[in-house]
């Protein structure tokens, strides 16, 4: 079923590090995909984070878990989100909020993006109660010590993450 109203194609971008994608991210992706005609999940650069997976690896993991959502597309970009907007004809940013601690940073980012590109609107979806404590960095820490991450990431990528991070730990 289309989300299209008034003949307008509603396209949104969900940017993030996704290093790696967690159940929390996937839950936001599934819900956002129902609100827009097309959702682009954009593997982006957060200059204050050191990542463990390359952008291509992160995109591959995302594709593996989003294959069954027809209006979701995975892309990578190493610039400003607003520059991606200009090239891809979109202006809606989707973000997930886990807790109040996320809010200040996300609020600042939403306003900065609007300042850079006036048409940019940020839409926040509240994470469900299961996901409020979940983060990619926790997942990476557990996996790098050989712990069980199966409660935190989709089943299809548990092995990929575990193998990749365990290998890294061994050097
Ligand atoms: O998953 P994250 O790390 O919280 O996502 C943050 C991300 C990647 C969305 C943010 O750092 C970002 O938008 N990076 C791209 C550069 C940009 O447009 N920054 C916003 C203006 S400062």
């Amino acid at each position: 079923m289309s989300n299209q109203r008034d003949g307008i194609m509603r396209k949104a971008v969900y940017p993030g590090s996704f290093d790696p994608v967690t159940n929390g991210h996937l839950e936001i992706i599934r819900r956002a995909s129902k609100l827009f005609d097309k959702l682009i999940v954009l593997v982006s650069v957060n200059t204050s984070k050191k990542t463990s997976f390359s952008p291509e690896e992160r995109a591959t993991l995302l594709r593996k878990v989003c294959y069954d959502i027809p209006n979701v597309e995975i892309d990578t970009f190493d610039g400003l989100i607003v520059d991606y907007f200009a090239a891809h004809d979109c202006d809606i940013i989707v973000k997930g909020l886990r807790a109040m601690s996320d809010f200040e940073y996300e609020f600042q980012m939403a306003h900065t993006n609007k300042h850079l590109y006036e048409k940019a609107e940020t839409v926040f979806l509240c994470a469900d109660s299961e996901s409020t404590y979940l983060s990619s960095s926790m997942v990476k820490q557990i996996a790098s010590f050989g712990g069980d991450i199966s409660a935190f990431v989709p089943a299809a990528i548990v092995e990929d993450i575990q193998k990749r991070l365990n290998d890294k730990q061994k050097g």
Side-chain angles (χ1 to χ4, degrees):
M1 191 178 71
S2 171
N3 302 317
Q4 214 162 313
R5 286 173 195 87
D6 313 324
I8 299 166
M9 163 92 158
R10 288 189 167 81
K11 189 153 75 167
V13 173
Y14 176 28
S17 300
F18 305 110
D19 185 53
V21 57
T22 66
N23 285 339
H25 294 128
L26 188 56
E27 191 249 336
I28 296 291
I29 293 170
R30 289 198 185 282
R31 281 163 52 207
S33 72
K34 292 179 186 145
L35 300 175
F36 302 98
D37 297 307
K38 186 170 180 181
L39 180 72
I40 301 170
V41 180
L42 192 63
V43 176
S44 316
V45 178
N46 181 342
T47 50
S48 42
K49 278 186 184 167
K50 195 179 164 292
T51 53
S52 303
F53 296 84
S54 71
E56 290 69 30
E57 285 175 317
R58 288 179 262 157
T60 300
L61 293 174
L62 275 160
R63 286 191 188 103
K64 236 173 150 170
V65 300
C66 294
Y67 75 95
D68 62 338
I69 320 173
N71 61 334
V72 166
E73 185 186 308
I74 315 297
D75 202 359
T76 60
F77 190 63
D78 62 357
L80 291 173
I81 303 304
V82 292
D83 288 339
Y84 186 88
F85 274 1
H88 293 82
D89 187 30
C90 37
D91 44 32
I92 301 171
I93 302 171
V94 171
K95 285 296 191 77
L97 282 182
R98 287 168 302 184
M100 278 309 285
S101 52
D102 280 345
F103 182 73
E104 202 171 330
Y105 170 71
E106 292 298 348
F107 185 84
Q108 189 182 10
M109 192 117 67
H111 280 283
T112 306
N113 280 322
K114 196 157 184 56
H115 185 82
L116 292 170
Y117 183 61
E118 215 249 315
K119 285 200 280 177
E121 291 294 350
T122 302
V123 174
F124 293 111
L125 296 184
C126 292
D128 72 2
S129 53
E130 299 267 296
S131 309
T132 47
Y133 63 93
L134 202 51
S135 73
S136 297
S137 49
M138 295 280 183
V139 166
K140 284 188 284 187
Q141 198 170 137
I142 297 166
S144 68
F145 288 112
D148 181 9
I149 56 167
S150 58
F152 311 123
V153 302
I157 59 170
V158 167
E159 233 180 273
D160 297 328
I161 297 170
Q162 247 151 4
K163 190 172 179 309
R164 174 72 165 66
L165 295 179
N166 252 324
D167 286 353
K168 211 176 161 196
Q169 181 87 345
K170 285 173 201 149

